[in-house]
Amino acid sequence: MIKKLTQKDLICHLNMPIFEIIGEEADALDRECYVVGGYVRDIFLDRPSKDIDCVTVGSGIELAQKVAKRLGRGAHLSVFRNFGTAQVKFKGMEVEFVGARKESYSHDSRKPVVEDGTLEDDQNRRDLTINDMAICLNKARFGELVDPFNGIDDLEKGLIRTPLNPDITFSDDPLRMLRAIRFACRFEFRIVPDTFEAIARNRERIRIISGERIIDELNKIMLCEKPSIGWILLQRCGLLQIILPELQALAGIETREGRGHKDNFIHTVMVLDNVCRAEREAGKEPNLWLHWAALMHDFGKAKAKAWDDKVGWTFHNHDYLGSRMILPVFRRLKLPLGAEEKFVEKLVLLHMRPINLAEEGITDSAIRRVLFEAGDDIEELMMLCEADITSKIPEKVQRFLKNFKIVRQKMQEIEEKDRIRNWQPPVDGLEIMQRYQLTPCREVGILKDSLKDAILDGECGNNREEALVFLDNKAHEIGIL
Ligand code: CTP
């Protein structure tokens, strides 16, 4: 339900002095000026916003300069001459000024051909009816809503629709296909069939859009309350196959001898929603990288899938195979390649470990091992594993959740006792090389790993003396002592 607002109500919403000042400066220049787009939409949705877009019939830069001057010392002006826009930052608000434009794009480029236009021209070239409402700031018409495409009605009904023929709107800027899906996901709105069909028809045009703009939209979808809505729409219109074929490859069910496996695409987006819900329930801020880990956790399943006459479908090793896919996908999607990528890769690699623990017996050494490998990311790993239970059989879900509770309890006990999470073995590689007069070689790795394993498995005490005895024995065994 959106708020029904009269002009009087809108005047109340625009009661910050900055709107009056903009209107007065526009009047002084004898120009029309409107607040447009997302800010207006969000007034009706009752979502406070600090990003304000203003359009004026004439130069946006000139108006911005006047407004900044009038606001005085607290205001910061940035001018983007190439784009014909300017921004004024004032008291935590960001106001973008742009001159009303007529714009069209040549077929194979994002470079617009821009001409000055009227408010009507400007509204004709915007993306969606719900983003296409304007409120006048000039004194004589202050608070008057200009809504030529009945965006208010679409907002009320929860509909995503382009103002013009969608083929034109999307081909002008193909990123708008992703924006349409992003807004459908964020507000849980429905994309009208005409608009959705145009997305499917124009999907190939997304290839002219830069990776940076695409990932910006995908990240916004990822931070919605129910990102599954966005990913399912991307799958249905065929954009997923172009943007993220690794996820598309998980879609569908294959049946053999009457035995099907689950649709791993649907399972994946359910896991993603589960993670988001768990964060909310725990009062945590959304962790974008945990969301990406959830989306990618089963990527390896397409490659790992095999049929076994005795047990049916299997996906052995999909965790390892999936983890190997993360870096190339991050690179292609222009996601950051530092700690964020490592975190996702680690979670994908380890995501079966807690469930195997819960199923196959919870030994101290297995717990120590997971704690060591997950390090500080153990909580996120546990959240992912709990979210991974999407079975429809309530008894099964209960059994898993009960086992996870035991795993968590055991982890806490062992962590308190052994402090494994940020642990390093008491003898490091350098000392091993000095002790056995080795240069870097395979044997150093063998000694290092076997010491680590022995301590994690409880076969060697976690102290220098016992570690050195263990290492000497091992060095003897492999023939270097
Ligand atoms: N717009 C457009 N086509 C685009 C991007 C933006 O027509 N590809 C228009 C829309 O009218 C939009 C406005 O520019 O409302 C401002 O865009 P932007 O700040 O990116 O989005 P908002 O709609 O303000 O949404 P958000 O809440 O995500 O900031």
Side-chain angles (χ1 to χ4, degrees):
M1 265 307 269
I2 64 159
K3 294 216 298 191
K4 290 241 185 311
L5 300 174
T6 60
Q7 183 165 352
K8 226 170 159 186
D9 297 325
L10 290 177
I11 292 172
C12 284
H13 272 275
L14 301 178
N15 68 356
M16 283 183 292
I18 192 159
F19 288 114
E20 224 173 85
I21 290 173
I22 297 170
E24 283 170 14
E25 291 303 317
D27 282 338
L29 289 167
D30 201 18
R31 299 263 189 75
E32 286 172 55
C33 180
Y34 303 83
V35 51
V36 281
Y39 191 84
V40 178
R41 176 199 69 217
D42 289 346
I43 290 179
F44 287 98
L45 292 174
D46 208 11
R47 292 165 48 108
S49 161
K50 290 194 179 298
D51 291 340
I52 302 166
D53 288 299
C54 282
V55 64
T56 181
V57 181
S59 161
I61 295 176
E62 194 185 355
L63 179 57
Q65 284 166 335
K66 297 262 181 217
V67 170
K69 197 165 167 204
R70 175 85 183 273
L71 290 171
R73 295 181 79 216
H76 183 265
L77 171 75
S78 315
V79 173
F80 309 99
R81 289 220 178 264
N82 291 351
F83 297 96
T85 64
Q87 184 194 59
V88 176
K89 284 193 186 167
F90 182 71
K91 291 192 177 166
M93 284 177 299
E94 286 184 17
V95 192
E96 294 277 338
F97 289 86
V98 59
R101 292 188 280 203
K102 259 196 235 181
E103 216 170 84
S104 65
Y105 296 75
S106 64
H107 192 75
D108 52 356
S109 142
R110 261 277 306 144
K111 288 246 156 57
V113 181
V114 187
E115 295 164 50
D116 290 344
T118 60
L119 175 71
E120 190 186 341
D121 292 327
D122 194 274
Q123 285 180 302
N124 280 339
R125 52 160 279 272
R126 288 183 179 264
D127 60 350
L128 304 170
T129 57
I130 60 166
N131 291 341
D132 210 352
M133 295 180 275
I135 303 175
C136 191
L137 296 179
N138 297 96
K139 193 160 187 168
R141 293 165 57 211
F142 195 82
E144 180 189 314
L145 181 70
V146 185
D147 181 17
F149 300 102
N150 214 355
I152 208 72
D153 207 37
D154 285 344
L155 211 49
E156 177 102 80
K157 294 188 179 124
L159 296 178
I160 299 291
R161 182 202 314 271
T162 55
L164 300 181
N165 174 343
D167 286 318
I168 296 172
T169 302
F170 292 144
S171 117
D172 275 355
D173 178 5
L175 187 77
R176 291 170 171 170
M177 300 188 283
L178 287 186
R179 284 176 60 90
I181 289 174
R182 191 237 303 176
F183 286 112
C185 182
R186 183 194 283 176
F187 301 136
E188 304 195 13
F189 281 10
R190 196 165 65 82
I191 303 179
V192 300
D194 199 30
T195 298
F196 190 72
E197 283 154 24
I199 297 179
R201 230 180 359 259
N202 289 284
R203 61 180 184 272
E204 287 295 328
R205 294 269 294 159
I206 201 70
R207 295 189 197 274
I208 66 165
I209 299 295
S210 73
E212 287 77 7
R213 293 183 82 211
I214 292 178
I215 199 61
D216 200 36
E217 288 299 324
L218 296 181
N219 280 338
K220 286 180 178 170
I221 290 176
M222 279 302 215
L223 292 172
C224 290
E225 235 176 70
K226 259 181 104 179
S228 65
I229 298 174
W231 290 105
I232 289 172
L233 288 169
L234 287 168
Q235 201 264 334
R236 287 204 190 129
C237 69
L239 276 170
L240 190 63
Q241 175 62 39
I242 301 170
I243 294 172
L244 198 49
E246 294 82 358
L247 184 57
Q248 171 65 42
L250 301 183
I253 298 171
E254 199 175 334
T255 309
R256 215 148 129 175
E257 296 171 20
R259 294 166 86 161
H261 56 75
K262 64 184 164 204
D263 182 321
N264 285 306
F265 167 73
I266 296 297
H267 163 72
T268 293
V269 294
M270 281 168 76
V271 174
L272 176 57
D273 282 357
N274 286 348
V275 162
C276 298
R277 186 167 2 92
E279 284 173 337
R280 281 194 300 280
E281 284 172 3
K284 293 186 174 175
E285 283 295 305
N287 175 346
L288 179 63
W289 307 108
L290 177 57
H291 298 190
W292 277 109
L295 194 83
M296 296 181 172
H297 80 284
D298 272 348
F299 268 15
K301 277 194 170 168
K303 270 193 207 151
K305 184 166 131 177
W307 173 260
D308 180 316
D309 282 336
K310 287 198 198 84
V311 292
W313 293 108
T314 66
F315 297 92
H316 293 312
N317 233 5
H318 75 273
D319 35 5
Y320 172 74
L321 291 171
S323 72
R324 304 278 79 204
M325 295 164 74
I326 305 307
L327 183 58
V329 171
F330 260 60
R331 211 172 259 145
R332 199 187 67 231
L333 289 182
K334 305 261 186 289
L335 283 166
L337 301 179
E340 297 87 350
E341 187 278 333
K342 292 209 166 56
F343 168 82
V344 173
E345 192 175 317
K346 184 203 272 185
L347 257 63
V348 173
L349 179 67
L350 297 180
H351 82 269
M352 295 298 288
R353 296 284 286 279
I355 203 150
N356 289 343
L357 265 179
E359 287 290 273
E360 288 161 14
I362 309 170
T363 63
D364 283 15
S365 75
I367 296 261
R368 267 193 224 112
R369 208 162 266 284
V370 179
L371 281 172
F372 174 71
E373 284 172 44
D376 278 338
D377 303 318
I378 190 71
E379 177 54 28
E380 285 74 13
L381 178 65
M382 291 306 288
M383 282 175 79
L384 174 59
C385 294
E386 282 157 357
D388 201 5
I389 305 162
T390 59
S391 164
K392 289 197 182 67
I393 308 161
E395 298 77 48
K396 207 169 160 183
V397 175
Q398 285 317 313
R399 193 183 74 219
F400 275 125
L401 291 180
K402 200 173 124 217
N403 284 350
F404 275 131
K405 237 186 178 155
I406 302 172
V407 171
R408 273 181 183 274
Q409 209 174 341
K410 221 39 200 149
M411 280 179 170
Q412 202 175 339
E413 283 167 26
I414 292 189
E415 180 56 24
E416 269 164 26
K417 187 156 62 86
D418 298 345
R419 300 270 164 230
I420 291 295
R421 268 159 72 159
N422 290 312
W423 170 80
Q424 285 302 324
V427 182
D428 66 10
L430 194 66
E431 201 177 339
I432 290 174
M433 287 197 278
Q434 283 164 353
R435 187 173 178 87
Y436 304 110
Q437 283 156 22
L438 296 171
T439 48
C441 61
R442 206 170 69 92
E443 281 72 17
V444 180
I446 296 174
L447 289 170
K448 234 176 107 180
D449 285 347
S450 51
L451 173 63
K452 180 194 82 192
D453 289 345
I455 296 178
L456 289 174
D457 290 342
E459 289 160 10
C460 171
N462 182 18
N463 58 68
R464 252 182 84 73
E465 294 69 41
E466 284 180 68
L468 290 174
V469 173
F470 174 88
L471 281 170
D472 285 349
N473 286 336
K474 191 75 192 174
H476 213 272
E477 194 186 309
I478 61 173
I480 54 168
L481 202 71

